[in-house]
Amino acid sequence: MVFPIKWSKPPMAHRQHLRCLLSSAAARAAAQIPAWRVPMSSGTSAQSARIRELARLGRLHEAREVFDAMPDHDIIAWNSMIFAYCNNGMPDAARSLADTISGGNLRTGTILLSGYARAGRVRDARRVFDEMPVRNTVAWNAMVTCYVQNGDITLARRLFDAMPSRDVSSWNTMLTGYCHSRQMVDARTLFQKMPERNMVSWTVMISGYVLIEQHGKAWDMFRTMHYEGVPPEQPNLVSVLSAISYLGNLNILESIHGLVHKTGFERDVVIGTAILNVYTRGVSMLDTAVKFFEGMIERNEYTWSTMIAALSQGGRIDDAIAIYQRDPLKSVPSRTAMLTGLARCGRINLARTLFDQIPRPNIVSWNAMITGYMQNEMVDEAEELFNRMPFRNTISWAGMIAGYAQNGRSEEALVLLQVLHRKGMLPSLSSLTSSFFACSNIEALETGKQVHSLAVKAGCQFNSYVCNSLITMYAKCRHIGFVRQIFDRMEVKDTVSYNSYITALVQNSMLEEARDTFNKMPSRDVVSWTTIISAYAQVDQGNEAVEIFRSMLQDHMLPISPILTILLGVGGNLGASKLGQQIHTVAVKLGMDSGLIVANALISMYFKCGSEDSLKIFHSMEERDIFTWNTVITGYAQHGLGREAIGVYRQMESAGVLPNEVTFVGLLHACSHSGLVDEGRKFFKSMSSDYGLTPLLEHYACMVDLLGRAGDVQGAEQFIYDMPIEPDAVIWSALLGACKIHKNVEIGRRAAEKLFSIEPSNAGNYVMLSNIYSSQGMWDEVAKVRKLMKEQGVNKEPGCSWMQIKNRMHSFVTGDEEHEQIHDIYATLRELYTLLKATGYVPDTEFVLHDIDEEQKESSLMYHSEKLAVAYGLLVTPKGLPIQIMKNLRICGDCHTFIKFVSHVTKREIDIRDGNRFHHFRDGNCSCGDFW
């Protein structure tokens, strides 16, 4: 089976490495020396270098001032300024400058072409290419690179095939394109056709296999290179070391160690740092990484920063601090790695102190500190720092926009985008995608359209990242027409594009089309499977969700935690304990059962299935969060075990875990189903007085239910009138249910009238009022309710019960005639009636909503769905085996009495989960104490 793709640092590093191999001649022209060391001698050379350095630092305004102050401009100066604009995401400004000198020279056109390529504006890049009067191989390579960088491998190959002449860089560019798009079969074919290869060719192939996580093939490619007598160099040693980090084979690592020494690279600090990266791949190898680090002959600033970052990410922040304190250089990368680690673990004040100690922080440090603030939800502090930045690059703007959007301040994200635009800068891809996310958050359709127009202006409307974000935004805004247009017009559709489109269809209740799109996907990742499985689970098609999961396993795709939690939810909702146990087994085999999210889902599933395994998991957990405690409290409430729920709450308090709103819903629900009125009142008061939590509608509904079930129907009604917020349908329904239990006609009528105006199509409200009337023999009123239902076009939801027997789900509806053994079921039921009546059972015809004679009423009661299920369970299961049944509606009083008698006469344990709670029938008694 293959593991789901999960990008981590080494693959991302290789993607960046591949991009580096694609860099154009224009990019190579930029000198990488500190601004304060640039010589300021006379002549354009020094001034051009100054322009390039200021551009690299993001200080574009100053770069232009240097350019404008030059008495004479040679072509180097013009190209330096044009490159400055291109490198800072402003290719249109670069184009305007180029037009001033009638397009400049061949190098000018190549710089401009590459600038548009980096901005994702493929068509503008192609326009520049087509307008070039003369093109050399470098220009052709730059255009092929443009297509490759923007994901259009088809056009890249077409242009490659049309080249009048090719050099090894041309072949490597095309090779990199195939590797970058993960088409390694085509890459291998092209590689074998190359008339000559250089070290870049081998490195690209190794990196390509690492990118698609075929690390064994990456290692084989390196061995082939070695067998062909090609001596290794630093780049491919770095690449193959990344592959080895995934293979987890220490023998291979030792053989590479030997080769490193044999070829004289043992003192190469870059390779040493790459080996260190191998050890820092997993938390379990951090000790080995530290040992290797201590034995390194040479270390540079990146060695120190790598070790600091690894320890920080592994949760060993104190060890990271200790390493940092030993760093003799305390370079900017080391300080940045340290402050990033401190921010990640919540020590944001220490991170800021460290930032303030950096004598000349570079733009990476500024951006890291802003990101740290955003990660810690300190948006105002990030904003203050952003406003103080001496210079900004596109990452600075993108980080702020993303931070605003991710911290619930989407309007400010969009305002900042507007500021960026007013400064004459086109937003980066990251800024655009974050802006679309902001629009999605607040469903700002019109603003989203304006940002879409900006993306078109920037020429990146066909970029896959932009398109995927647009699909998500328009889906959230319920504009499925635009979603289809964007998806259909995408020039390159990757797996993420399909996933976004499927999600959009699901969000707009178009499940059939979503499934059809899923079936047509050229390739699927674990997100694809998660999306479609979740979609079926959300619409209560749990069986289909399980079948898709089976198909996923057959495709050798391993599930991730979210899929397991979804399926455990399906098992819990269906009451399918065997399905839940099977998913539990899968979780154990994959080592996911101890994860907090999966463990919480397991507890919930077992509670819903009436299994004591829920408590076994709870007691075995080493780590618990608020969701764990809430799940157990709610689980006890479902089973009517109020005292036990309160006991768990006391344990939670002792553990120092603060309750939230959900905790009190569970507690009040538990008190309601156990008749613990005084305790419930105390908890309701404790919410605000002890924890400062404002009661929500759910809490008020629980209190109404608590008072009403206990018989204080008038007090429950008065409680509603005294509420500081407007009651909703759930609250009035709780009151109506209490009136049904206690046969209070007047208050029940008032509650029903409120419900008829709030939710006129809910059949349950009409049925409850009819039950109240019929219990008092008020048949004229029952008829009026039936007439009202007919006028409103409301149909009563049929009662349905189901049970799992031998891995098969059996369902029954009232008066069922479809089940394959229905005649045997009816015969068993009649025998039971005769037997039970002889032991004192009397059918309670009060629950029949028709004015018919008693014999007909008894006959009507006999074929309720839960009785059919009980009869079938007795018919097909061995004597003494417990019977478990699920029901969609609240069990009626007669069925409740009937099943108590059945449990006594047959000596069977019978568990029924109805729409409200569990009923555990044992030897003629029910766990609810007839209080439900």
Side-chain angles (χ1 to χ4, degrees):
M1 303 181 83
V2 296
F3 287 86
I5 294 173
K6 182 177 180 182
W7 295 120
S8 56
K9 287 197 171 179
M12 182 59 70
H14 275 76
R15 294 180 71 176
Q16 292 169 348
H17 183 52
L18 287 170
R19 290 193 181 104
C20 288
L21 293 168
L22 284 168
S23 61
S24 66
R28 291 194 297 271
Q32 301 296 313
I33 57 176
W36 54 275
R37 287 186 181 172
V38 175
M40 298 301 296
S41 60
S42 59
T44 62
S45 178
Q47 290 164 310
S48 297
R50 177 69 174 169
I51 290 168
R52 292 194 295 271
E53 177 60 16
L54 288 169
R56 186 183 70 82
L57 295 172
R59 295 154 64 178
L60 202 59
H61 181 70
E62 294 174 55
R64 184 58 192 253
E65 287 179 347
V66 173
F67 178 78
D68 290 338
M70 293 174 67
D72 297 302
H73 300 104
D74 61 11
I75 192 61
I76 295 175
W78 285 99
N79 285 342
S80 295
M81 195 63 230
I82 290 167
F83 175 76
Y85 280 126
C86 287
N87 208 38
N88 282 272
M90 300 175 66
D92 287 333
R95 179 64 185 261
S96 297
L97 202 62
D99 289 342
T100 306
I101 53 171
S102 301
N105 61 6
L106 180 59
R107 180 174 171 73
T108 310
T110 306
I111 293 171
L112 195 57
L113 187 163
S114 298
Y116 278 121
R118 280 194 298 274
R121 298 170 62 176
V122 179
R123 294 184 177 182
D124 289 322
R126 183 58 192 252
R127 191 175 296 115
V128 171
F129 178 77
D130 291 339
E131 291 172 356
M132 293 174 71
V134 179
R135 306 182 196 106
N136 60 8
T137 304
V138 174
W140 282 88
N141 290 345
M143 193 62 229
V144 173
T145 298
C146 172
Y147 284 129
V148 166
Q149 286 177 333
N150 288 277
D152 197 334
I153 197 68
T154 302
L155 284 179
R157 182 57 190 261
R158 193 177 300 165
L159 194 68
F160 173 80
D161 290 339
M163 290 181 70
S165 63
R166 307 185 190 99
D167 57 15
V168 70
S169 294
S170 312
W171 288 88
N172 286 340
T173 299
M174 194 65 236
L175 189 66
T176 305
Y178 280 130
C179 292
H180 195 81
S181 59
R182 302 188 181 99
Q183 299 181 37
M184 289 308 295
V185 174
D186 293 321
R188 186 65 177 258
T189 301
L190 188 72
F191 179 78
Q192 291 171 342
K193 291 179 179 178
M194 290 180 72
E196 63 171 316
R197 302 174 188 138
N198 61 11
M199 188 54 59
V200 172
S201 315
W202 290 98
T203 305
V204 166
M205 286 299 296
I206 294 167
S207 299
Y209 282 122
V210 171
L211 186 63
I212 64 170
E213 297 190 343
Q214 292 188 9
H215 306 109
K217 288 188 176 181
W219 170 240
D220 289 341
M221 179 62 68
F222 180 83
R223 288 197 303 169
T224 302
M225 180 193 82
H226 186 55
Y227 292 153
E228 289 188 9
V230 180
E233 293 184 6
Q234 188 192 81
N236 48 45
L237 280 170
V238 170
S239 294
V240 79
L241 280 165
S242 181
I244 292 168
S245 71
Y246 285 90
L247 292 175
N249 190 323
L250 292 178
N251 292 328
I252 294 178
L253 182 56
E254 288 174 6
S255 68
I256 281 289
H257 254 135
L259 183 62
V260 166
H261 284 279
K262 185 177 179 181
T263 52
F265 283 105
E266 68 274 9
R267 289 183 174 271
D268 189 302
V269 70
V270 174
I271 293 176
T273 304
I275 294 173
L276 181 64
N277 268 320
V278 178
Y279 289 121
T280 59
R281 274 284 299 140
V283 175
S284 61
M285 295 180 68
L286 276 180
D287 289 334
T288 307
V290 171
K291 184 177 180 181
F292 178 81
F293 171 81
E294 298 295 354
M296 289 181 70
I297 300 171
E298 297 286 341
R299 303 186 189 113
N300 63 12
E301 58 188 26
Y302 299 106
T303 313
W304 289 96
S305 62
T306 296
M307 197 67 251
I308 292 165
L311 289 167
S312 300
Q313 291 166 7
R316 294 168 57 173
I317 189 66
D318 292 331
D319 291 337
I321 293 171
I323 292 289
Y324 171 74
Q325 290 172 341
R326 289 172 47 206
D327 182 357
L329 299 175
K330 300 277 193 304
S331 65
V332 173
S334 291
R335 293 176 190 239
T336 303
M338 191 68 255
L339 74 86
T340 300
L342 289 167
R344 184 183 289 111
C345 73
R347 300 187 191 181
I348 191 67
N349 292 330
L350 281 175
R352 179 56 189 266
T353 300
L354 187 58
F355 174 79
D356 291 337
Q357 292 172 354
I358 301 176
R360 278 191 300 272
N362 61 20
I363 198 162
V364 177
S365 304
W366 284 91
N367 291 341
M369 193 64 236
I370 289 172
T371 300
Y373 275 132
M374 287 298 189
Q375 287 172 340
N376 286 272
E377 301 179 1
M378 299 172 70
V379 181
D380 293 336
E381 289 80 358
E383 187 179 82
E384 182 268 335
L385 200 65
F386 178 78
N387 291 333
R388 281 183 44 213
M389 289 181 76
F391 45 86
R392 303 176 185 130
N393 61 8
T394 54
I395 296 173
S396 314
W397 291 92
M400 281 300 296
I401 293 171
Y404 278 133
Q406 292 164 5
N407 283 282
R409 293 168 65 166
S410 296
E411 292 87 352
E412 291 169 80
L414 297 171
V415 168
L416 190 61
L417 177 71
Q418 191 176 36
V419 173
L420 171 67
H421 185 50
R422 284 175 179 169
K423 286 182 176 290
M425 299 173 63
L426 286 175
S428 66
L429 292 177
S430 177
S431 295
L432 284 170
T433 54
S434 294
S435 299
F436 290 132
F437 176 67
C439 293
S440 299
N441 290 341
I442 57 176
E443 297 186 9
L445 177 60
E446 293 306 316
T447 305
K449 289 179 180 178
Q450 293 172 13
V451 181
H452 188 175
S453 298
L454 188 58
V456 174
K457 184 178 179 181
C460 53
Q461 70 271 29
F462 297 107
N463 178 274
S464 59
Y465 295 107
V466 171
C467 289
N468 295 339
S469 299
L470 280 168
I471 288 171
T472 300
M473 182 199 72
Y474 283 125
K476 286 280 187 71
C477 295
R478 300 289 186 270
H479 208 308
I480 197 66
F482 279 2
V483 170
R484 280 204 183 93
Q485 285 180 25
I486 292 163
F487 184 74
D488 291 341
R489 292 177 183 176
M490 286 182 72
E491 296 174 352
V492 179
K493 297 186 181 88
D494 56 14
T495 305
V496 177
S497 310
Y498 277 96
N499 291 343
S500 300
Y501 186 55
I502 291 169
T503 301
L505 294 170
V506 169
Q507 288 173 343
N508 286 270
S509 304
M510 305 174 72
L511 186 55
E512 274 190 41
E513 189 174 343
R515 180 63 180 275
D516 184 57
T517 304
F518 174 81
N519 291 337
K520 291 177 180 177
M521 286 182 72
S523 63
R524 307 182 185 105
D525 62 10
V526 72
V527 177
S528 318
W529 292 98
T530 305
T531 302
I532 201 69
I533 289 171
S534 175
Y536 278 99
Q538 287 171 9
V539 295
D540 294 327
Q541 294 190 36
N543 291 332
E544 189 62 29
V546 173
E547 288 304 314
I548 296 171
F549 176 65
R550 288 197 178 103
S551 299
M552 175 184 175
L553 296 179
Q554 289 170 1
D555 273 11
H556 306 291
M557 178 71 72
L558 289 180
I560 55 177
S561 295
I563 290 182
L564 297 182
T565 58
I566 290 166
L567 293 169
L568 288 168
V570 168
N573 293 336
L574 291 174
S577 57
K578 291 183 179 178
L579 170 62
Q581 288 165 356
Q582 290 171 352
I583 302 301
H584 189 176
T585 301
V586 172
V588 171
K589 287 181 178 178
L590 296 175
M592 296 181 184
D593 59 311
S594 58
L596 195 56
I597 296 174
V598 173
N600 289 343
L602 283 166
I603 292 172
S604 177
M605 182 273 295
Y606 280 123
F607 262 122
K608 289 179 179 179
C609 292
S611 170
E612 292 183 355
D613 286 341
S614 55
L615 297 178
K616 291 179 182 177
I617 293 170
F618 174 70
H619 292 308
S620 68
M621 290 176 69
E622 296 180 1
E623 179 187 4
R624 297 168 182 160
D625 61 7
I626 184 63
F627 300 103
T628 313
W629 295 100
N630 287 347
T631 301
V632 176
I633 290 170
T634 302
Y636 273 130
Q638 289 173 328
H639 289 265
L641 300 171
R643 296 289 180 192
E644 288 80 354
I646 293 172
V648 171
Y649 174 69
R650 299 302 178 204
Q651 291 179 44
M652 175 178 149
E653 282 185 315
S654 299
V657 180
L658 290 175
N660 60 14
E661 291 86 353
V662 178
T663 311
F664 285 100
V665 170
L667 285 169
L668 293 172
H669 187 59
C671 291
S672 174
H673 283 289
S674 302
L676 303 175
V677 178
D678 292 339
E679 289 84 346
R681 288 183 187 275
K682 289 177 183 177
F683 284 127
F684 185 78
K685 182 180 178 181
S686 174
M687 278 188 70
S688 52
S689 62
D690 295 334
Y691 297 103
L693 298 172
T694 302
L696 306 175
L697 285 167
E698 294 91 331
H699 302 102
Y700 285 104
C702 286
M703 284 302 296
V704 171
D705 190 55
L706 172 68
L707 296 171
R709 284 180 187 276
D712 188 7
V713 179
Q714 289 182 332
E717 184 181 32
Q718 188 59 48
F719 183 85
I720 295 174
Y721 292 136
D722 292 340
M723 284 172 53
I725 54 178
E726 189 69 23
D728 65 354
V730 177
I731 290 173
W732 288 112
S733 180
L735 181 62
L736 183 59
C739 292
K740 176 187 171 185
I741 294 170
H742 300 288
K743 304 180 177 62
N744 192 313
V745 176
E746 290 307 314
I747 295 179
R749 181 185 285 116
R750 289 197 292 270
E753 287 171 355
K754 293 284 187 180
L755 286 165
F756 294 161
S757 64
I758 297 172
E759 43 180 24
S761 299
N762 188 334
N765 301 326
Y766 298 91
V767 172
M768 277 200 285
L769 183 60
S770 293
N771 273 323
I772 296 171
Y773 286 145
S774 65
S775 69
Q776 301 299 304
M778 301 169 66
W779 300 111
D780 289 342
E781 297 301 320
V782 172
K784 289 179 183 178
V785 174
R786 288 186 174 281
K787 182 181 178 183
L788 182 60
M789 289 179 69
K790 188 174 182 180
E791 290 171 353
Q792 295 287 345
V794 177
N795 295 313
K796 178 186 174 184
E797 182 182 1
C800 178
S801 299
W802 62 94
M803 62 197 306
Q804 189 174 3
I805 305 289
K806 294 181 180 178
N807 295 323
R808 182 181 170 191
M809 199 66 73
H810 296 263
S811 60
F812 307 88
V813 294
T814 299
D816 201 333
E817 295 183 357
E818 298 296 324
H819 194 277
E820 58 193 19
Q821 291 182 258
I822 194 63
H823 297 298
D824 295 332
I825 293 169
Y826 280 176
T828 301
L829 203 50
R830 285 191 288 269
E831 289 176 11
L832 273 176
Y833 254 69
T834 301
L835 179 61
L836 298 186
K837 282 182 177 180
T839 60
Y841 165 65
V842 178
D844 190 347
T845 57
E846 176 186 306
F847 294 94
V848 178
L849 301 183
H850 298 274
D851 185 15
I852 53 180
D853 62 43
E854 287 298 308
E855 186 175 344
Q856 288 176 305
K857 287 181 181 180
E858 286 190 21
S859 178
S860 174
L861 288 172
M862 181 184 294
Y863 303 113
H864 280 193
S865 65
E866 53 265 60
K867 289 178 181 171
L868 297 176
V870 167
Y872 182 68
L874 294 171
L875 184 65
V876 299
T877 60
K879 288 183 179 180
L881 196 70
I883 296 172
Q884 189 175 71
I885 297 165
M886 307 291 152
K887 188 178 187 331
N888 63 332
L889 305 176
R890 182 177 179 273
I891 188 172
C892 81
D894 175 65
C895 289
H896 192 266
T897 302
F898 173 83
I899 296 171
K900 284 201 296 184
F901 273 91
V902 172
S903 71
H904 176 68
V905 170
T906 64
K907 304 303 178 186
R908 291 283 194 115
E909 295 182 359
I910 303 174
D911 296 324
I912 294 186
R913 190 188 80 191
D914 69 7
N916 286 351
R917 57 166 294 163
F918 265 91
H919 298 266
H920 302 285
F921 297 93
R922 304 288 186 271
D923 197 27
N925 296 303
C926 180
S927 61
C928 73
D930 297 336
F931 188 86
W932 87 99

